[in-house]
Every structure is written in structure tokens, then in C-alpha cells.
Amino acid sequence: MVEGCFDWRSYLTKPDFVAAPVSCFNHVPLARMWDSITNSILVEVKSPDCTTCCSVNPCCYWIAAVIKVSGYMGLLRYEGFESDCSQDLWVNLCTEAHIHPIGWCAENGMPLVPPKVIEDKHTDWKEYLMRRISRVRTAPSDFALKLEEHKHNIIKKCMKLEVVDKNLISAVRLATVKEVIGGRLHLKYDDSEIEDDGFWCHERSPLIHPIGWAQIVGHALKAKPEYARQSLLKTLYRTYEPFDATWDMFLPVPNLIKSPKFKEGMKLEAIDPLNLSTICVATVTEVLRNNYLMIGIDGMTEADGSDCFCYHASSPCIFPVGFCESNNVTLTPPRGYKGEFRWSDYLRKTKAKPAPSILFQREIPNHGFKEGMYLEAVDLMEPGLICVASVIRVVGRLLCIHFDGWETAYDQWCDCEAPDLFPVGWCEMAGYRLEPPRSEGSNDSKKNMKTSIIKTRRRKRRLFTQKKRHNEDFDGVSVKNEPDDADTLSVNRDDSSSSS
């Protein structure tokens, strides 16, 4: 376990504790087969008498029953203990060498012997085991293989890609992958100062894009003119370099052919990416190619659009006018709005039209999340942190995530398929630090540090003016490709691949 990582075992023993099932998380290892890891299956597991490993005395194994499953964590009871729970233990079922299907020891020549404390309970353990394991269910035979497959990430260390500028969210910049842990990428901007530590996101995050994406869709790109030209040529002629992240490495976005379409000036409701606890009154400020939209939060948008942000038209983070009211969710009105907010009055005053609701119709999957379930969630305002969290609201496919020990002002809305949510035990399995709840902090200095980090959320918008001044000193340019024929730049992520 990573040093300082929160240990879920203090929560697992609580009678009312419920973890979100692994099958709720499509992007994590074993999600599709996890339903087969159920209570009462038998597995082979390292014996409690085995405390060290060496070539002279190989590890001993024994058979255990899975009594309970919570996320990736499983409560095991060794065979032969019957109703005696004194030796029950919680283990992460997906960490190295923890569980194996029945028959693994025989196939691999490993000794299968009972724990010393119960070895006198039966005179013939072989006969006992044969009786117990006949016709029992066990872990899938390809359990370890499927787990290993998820360690091979598509986006790899040293690859270059285009990523949202955390200091100017209306633009993207070139960045390099410095580290990969469990599909999470540590990125650093290629033109950043040494002290800028970059940021983390998942390889399925909508914040990252292949080389050439900005020029293809017409998004602002903060880069040298030479990179802007080369990235466009690379994409059009598929002449990528070995470390370029190419379009086929990313999930394809829906190719929407709908009428009517989104138009500039249309009103809608959107999750504010700079304050994820709020869903706000918003406006389509620009329509890009390939169904990408620039969205601005009403009353908060700078005149030059520098704090507008890009969502795809299929994004689950934008909603039709009236969504919040119909789902009993608080809608944040424009800053400075006087009186009770009503969409009908606001549309009349602004002489604006709502985006047609048909543009937002999306399937609500049977995701399995329920209120009160615990999980591990990225703090998207400080995305290097993964924290103990729970689901406190479910609205269709929309989840409200609460960080344990923190006020509701720090909650965040996200989609049920967001790659920033993980099952209980994921951090331990992946070797990533899990931040403890505030109440579990070991000392005041750690509490103060976390509080200081969280408070930056409220300063984000106020700091945009300062950040913009800093960005103006950059010796590159912010460019947007505007060809005569926009259709010539339409690239499908399914059939665009690297030729290197």
C-alpha cells in the first residue's frame, strides 16, 4: 500500500457501509466479469501462516470462502473455520497473489495446506477438501489474465497530445505524458515553467485530444505557429511521429446528424467546470466543427471569451432549459441576477432562444449507482487527488459526489460513466495514494494543507484576469484554423490512425 494511503478497512466493518459495485465502473479492470466474484465462491489464497516468501520455502496456500464483497475488497474466511469468524480478513482481491481459482495450486505446483490452528480438526484434509470443493463456484479461470490486460494502457509515457490549458480553459496546449498509473496520466505542458507540476487526468478524459485536434475542430490553440501548421498536416496526411498520440487512441465521439442544430446564442444549463458543485445558466458562445461547442456561464464570462470551455454536443454535462427545475436540482442563476430566476422571464429579457430539448436526449444506462454508495473519486479541482467519497444524489445518469469529511460546497456533479470515479480498493490495487477524509487526518498541518487546496476553487475565476496577463507574455500564438471548406478538416477518430 502507498505510504499515507487511506485504508478502507476502518469503513468496511461498519454495518451500514455499502460500496458501489465494480460493475458500475466501465473503465476499470474486471468490470464486466465482476458479477462472478460473488459471496460464497471458493478461492485459493496465501495461508495466514505464510509471512515471508523465499525460494527455499515457497509460499503455502489454503482455500477460503468469499464472505462479502465491497468494491475490490473481499472478506475471506478460511475453510475449516466453519462459523468461527476470528480469522476473517479483508483483502484486496486484485492485488498481486491474493486470490486464485480452485486448482491453481495444483497447476503451479504450490503446496495447499491448512492453517496450523485448525490442522487437527480433520484427520483427512484431502478427503475434506474433495467433499467441499466438488461442484462449488470459484473465481473465473482467466481472472489474472483479464486483470493483467488492463495494465497495458493505450496512452503511454512520453507521448505527446493536446490538452486543455488549466490556466486558460478556452485554449489547448501541447503536453507530454510524464507518468501513467492505472490509466491516469500525469501531463506537463511542453512550454511550461519548471515549477509548474502539470496535472493529472484519465486517458478517457474529455480534456485531452490527439495531435491536430485543435486545428481540425477550430478550437483555440496556444502554440508556436510551426506546431499549429505541422499538427494540421500530420492529421490530414497521417504522417505522425512515433510519440504522437493519434486519433485512433481516443474514444470516438458520436457523429451527430440532427436537425435542428446547436447555434450560437442558444441558452442551456451546464455544469460549471470551475465550480463543479453548480449547474448554471449558460450560453453557446461558438459552434466549432465536428459538433464541438464553446460554452460560457452567464454573468461570469469574460468579454473575450477566455473562460469559455469546450463541450461536445453529446456531453452529459450540458442540459436543456428546465432540466434542474424538473429534477429538483438547484440552478445557479447569472451572477448579479435580481429576484427569483425564471427561464421564461430571462429568455424574454435576453431575447434569446433555448437550445431545443431534442438535442439533449440521451440514453440513461442501468449504471447501478445508488445514493449512499461509497467509492474513490478524483477531486477535479485538484485532479492529482483521489479521495474517499460517496454518492449523495442520483439524477438519471448524473451523480452528485460528496467528499467524506468536507462541506457540501465542495461536492461535484459528474456523469455516471466519468473516468474519474473508481471502486473501493482501486487506489490500493493501482498503487495510487487515496486521500483520507478530513476527520481522519493525522495532524492539523495536513488538514490546513487540504483546506488551502480546496479554497482555490473559489478563487479560480478571480484569478483569470491575472492568468490572462501572464499568458500574453507567451512568445507563441493562439491560433484557430479557418479554412474555406470546413468539411476538408472533418476527421473520424475511428479511421484516422498513425502511419509511423
Side-chain angles (χ1 to χ4, degrees):
M1 184 179 292
V2 177
E3 182 179 356
C5 184
F6 175 74
D7 190 344
W8 278 106
R9 290 164 181 81
S10 61
Y11 274 41
L12 293 169
T13 55
K14 296 180 179 180
D16 58 346
F17 179 84
V18 178
V22 173
S23 56
C24 293
F25 307 84
N26 293 331
H27 61 286
V28 303
L30 308 174
R32 294 183 178 180
M33 66 185 304
W34 195 256
D35 288 342
S36 62
I37 310 298
T38 57
N39 299 351
S40 77
I41 68 169
L42 293 183
V43 294
E44 296 178 357
V45 62
K46 195 176 295 185
S47 170
D49 300 329
C50 187
T51 57
T52 60
C53 297
C54 65
S55 57
V56 178
N57 296 305
C59 291
C60 295
Y61 289 80
W62 189 234
I63 293 177
V66 178
I67 304 300
K68 188 177 181 180
V69 176
S70 289
Y72 282 127
M73 306 297 292
L75 182 62
L76 302 184
R77 179 173 300 171
Y78 293 105
E79 276 300 302
F81 280 86
E82 311 301 341
S83 60
D84 180 6
C85 62
S86 61
Q87 298 296 316
D88 291 358
L89 74 160
W90 282 99
V91 301
N92 192 307
L93 300 174
C94 293
T95 52
E96 186 178 356
H98 255 138
I99 69 167
H100 304 281
I102 298 297
W104 180 86
C105 283
E107 292 176 4
N108 291 273
M110 303 301 288
L112 193 65
V113 296
K116 291 180 181 179
V117 294
I118 60 168
E119 60 185 1
D120 296 331
K121 289 188 65 174
H122 294 274
T123 56
D124 190 341
W125 279 105
K126 184 177 181 179
E127 187 276 333
Y128 171 82
L129 288 182
M130 292 301 295
R131 187 175 67 253
R132 284 288 295 128
I133 67 176
S134 61
R135 299 181 182 179
V136 299
R137 290 178 299 119
T138 187
S141 59
D142 59 349
F143 182 84
L145 178 62
K146 293 295 184 183
L147 184 60
E148 184 65 26
E149 286 178 356
H150 279 267
K151 295 181 180 179
H152 302 288
N153 303 105
I154 298 174
I155 307 296
K156 302 183 184 299
K157 186 176 180 180
C158 297
M159 281 187 171
K160 294 184 179 295
L161 39 71
E162 294 178 4
V163 58
V164 170
D165 185 347
K166 66 179 181 180
N167 295 328
L168 190 71
I169 61 174
S170 60
V172 297
R173 297 164 69 180
L174 181 66
T176 300
V177 179
K178 295 298 182 181
E179 188 178 5
V180 183
I181 300 179
R184 301 203 75 224
L185 314 176
H186 184 207
L187 303 166
K188 286 203 72 172
Y189 299 115
D190 282 17
D191 55 13
S192 64
E193 289 114 1
I194 295 177
E195 60 271 16
D196 185 349
D197 192 41
F199 72 101
W200 287 84
C201 70
H202 195 274
E203 65 180 5
R204 293 192 182 186
S205 170
L207 300 178
I208 62 174
H209 308 282
I211 296 296
W213 176 85
Q215 292 292 77
I216 292 296
V217 305
H219 193 283
L221 170 67
K222 185 182 170 193
K224 302 281 187 180
E226 180 63 15
Y227 171 78
R229 186 178 71 85
Q230 288 296 330
S231 66
L232 178 59
L233 292 175
K234 284 180 179 181
T235 306
L236 292 177
Y237 297 104
R238 304 182 184 181
T239 54
Y240 298 106
E241 296 178 37
F243 285 105
D244 288 342
T246 55
W247 292 66
D248 59 306
M249 296 178 181
F250 295 77
L251 293 176
V253 294
N255 185 19
L256 305 176
I257 306 176
K258 288 186 177 181
S259 182
K261 295 180 178 293
F262 282 102
K263 295 182 180 180
E264 184 177 327
M266 284 182 171
K267 300 292 182 181
L268 66 161
E269 299 174 6
I271 297 175
D272 183 354
L274 295 179
N275 186 2
L276 294 159
S277 65
T278 61
I279 299 178
C280 304
V281 174
T283 301
V284 177
T285 61
E286 188 178 0
V287 179
L288 308 180
R289 290 185 286 275
N290 292 11
N291 296 302
Y292 283 96
L293 312 170
M294 296 303 294
I295 306 291
I297 300 299
D298 283 22
M300 306 292 279
T301 306
E302 297 285 344
D304 61 359
S306 59
D307 57 352
C308 292
F309 47 93
C310 185
Y311 278 143
H312 192 264
S314 64
S315 170
C317 296
I318 57 176
F319 316 96
V321 163
F323 170 84
C324 285
E325 182 179 5
S326 62
N327 289 281
N328 195 29
V329 175
T330 300
L331 175 66
T332 301
R335 182 172 57 183
Y337 190 86
K338 303 293 184 181
E340 182 182 356
F341 180 83
R342 290 188 178 88
W343 264 116
S344 56
D345 295 339
Y346 186 67
L347 291 171
R348 185 174 62 255
K349 289 178 182 178
T350 58
K351 298 180 181 180
K353 294 183 178 180
S357 59
I358 191 174
L359 297 176
F360 302 86
Q361 291 181 358
R362 299 184 188 90
E363 179 184 357
I364 300 176
N366 184 22
H367 50 69
F369 287 105
K370 296 180 180 179
E371 294 176 7
M373 286 182 171
Y374 277 85
L375 40 69
E376 300 174 4
V378 176
D379 179 350
L380 291 172
M381 301 310 294
E382 291 295 334
L385 304 179
I386 299 183
C387 308
V388 173
S390 62
V391 178
I392 61 170
R393 185 84 191 275
V394 179
V395 182
R397 60 182 300 141
L398 192 64
L399 310 178
C400 187
I401 303 299
H402 175 72
F403 297 107
D404 222 27
W406 295 94
E407 293 79 7
T408 57
Y410 308 130
D411 295 349
Q412 59 188 33
W413 289 100
C414 65
D415 185 61
C416 64
E417 295 181 345
D420 304 297
L421 305 177
F422 302 95
V424 166
W426 182 88
C427 281
E428 181 180 344
M429 177 192 69
Y432 198 96
R433 175 182 163 84
L434 177 63
E435 300 295 323
R438 181 168 59 174
S439 58
E440 298 289 335
S442 59
N443 56 52
D444 290 338
S445 64
K446 288 186 178 181
K447 294 179 184 180
N448 293 336
M449 179 183 69
K450 175 69 172 174
T451 301
S452 176
I453 290 173
I454 292 294
K455 284 181 178 178
T456 61
R457 299 180 180 202
R458 297 176 176 175
R459 300 199 303 268
K460 292 270 183 181
R461 289 195 179 276
R462 181 166 53 84
L463 289 176
F464 256 97
T465 302
Q466 297 171 333
K467 289 176 179 177
K468 282 161 56 186
R469 290 198 195 102
H470 172 75
N471 290 330
E472 289 168 359
D473 296 333
F474 178 65
D475 61 357
V477 292
S478 179
V479 293
K480 293 176 70 172
N481 191 53
E482 299 293 349
D484 294 332
D485 184 3
D487 291 337
T488 63
L489 295 186
S490 179
V491 175
N492 189 310
R493 294 192 179 194
D494 284 329
D495 56 29
S496 183
S497 59
S498 173
S499 61
S500 58

